[in-house]
Amino acid sequence: MNTLTTTLCTTLLLSSAALTTTNTEAAQFVAADNSPGTQICMAVSSNKRLQLYATMKDLRISKTTVTNKLRCNNLSIAKFAGTYGFNKTAKYLNLETTTGTSIQDLAKLDQQTIMVVAGSK
């Protein structure tokens, strides 16, 4: 009886953990064009530091230029990264994204959303 109770509790714990670990990245980002600004914005939206570094190196754009002059979807790069939760690339660019407070509806994240990303020209 004790083994049955332990097995049942373990099964319930694992199933509840599986239910709570859903994909929270519901938005899919699509490039509006192939301009260098859009390429950098797409690299930021990947939330992968290595991809951002490689894109910046290929385009010969410095961190300073990206952080001070680039705008993604008419938002500063810090606001863009903070709005969509791109913390890894924001940290690579030395941007502070945790100063704002926002409420995120997790139930709404189950729907697939396509975001068109355009960089400044």
Side-chain angles (χ1 to χ4, degrees):
M1 185 68 179
N2 195 7
T3 305
L4 180 63
T5 305
T6 305
T7 305
L8 182 61
C9 288
T10 304
T11 304
L12 287 174
L13 275 171
L14 290 175
S15 63
S16 66
L19 288 175
T20 58
T21 56
T22 59
N23 187 8
T24 58
E25 189 178 328
Q28 177 184 0
F29 293 88
V30 178
D33 55 21
N34 200 23
S35 68
T38 302
Q39 290 179 26
I40 296 289
C41 291
M42 289 300 295
V44 169
S45 71
S46 73
N47 206 23
K48 296 178 182 172
R49 290 181 237 170
L50 188 58
Q51 184 174 347
L52 177 59
Y53 170 77
T55 304
M56 288 171 51
K57 184 177 178 185
D58 288 344
L59 296 172
R60 297 180 182 165
I61 297 175
S62 68
K63 279 187 188 182
T64 306
T65 303
V66 170
T67 57
N68 293 337
K69 296 183 180 181
L70 182 66
R71 297 184 63 80
C72 298
N73 290 356
N74 291 326
L75 299 171
S76 68
I77 197 74
K79 183 75 172 170
F80 180 73
T83 300
Y84 297 108
F86 304 132
N87 298 325
K88 292 178 186 175
T89 50
K91 185 177 179 182
Y92 173 74
L93 294 171
N94 298 323
L95 299 173
E96 184 63 40
T97 60
T98 58
T99 57
T101 303
S102 66
I103 298 173
Q104 189 173 22
D105 186 6
L106 294 178
K108 186 178 178 183
L109 290 178
D110 290 336
Q111 301 171 2
Q112 183 69 21
T113 305
I114 297 176
M115 300 290 298
V116 178
V117 177
S120 55
K121 306 270 189 244

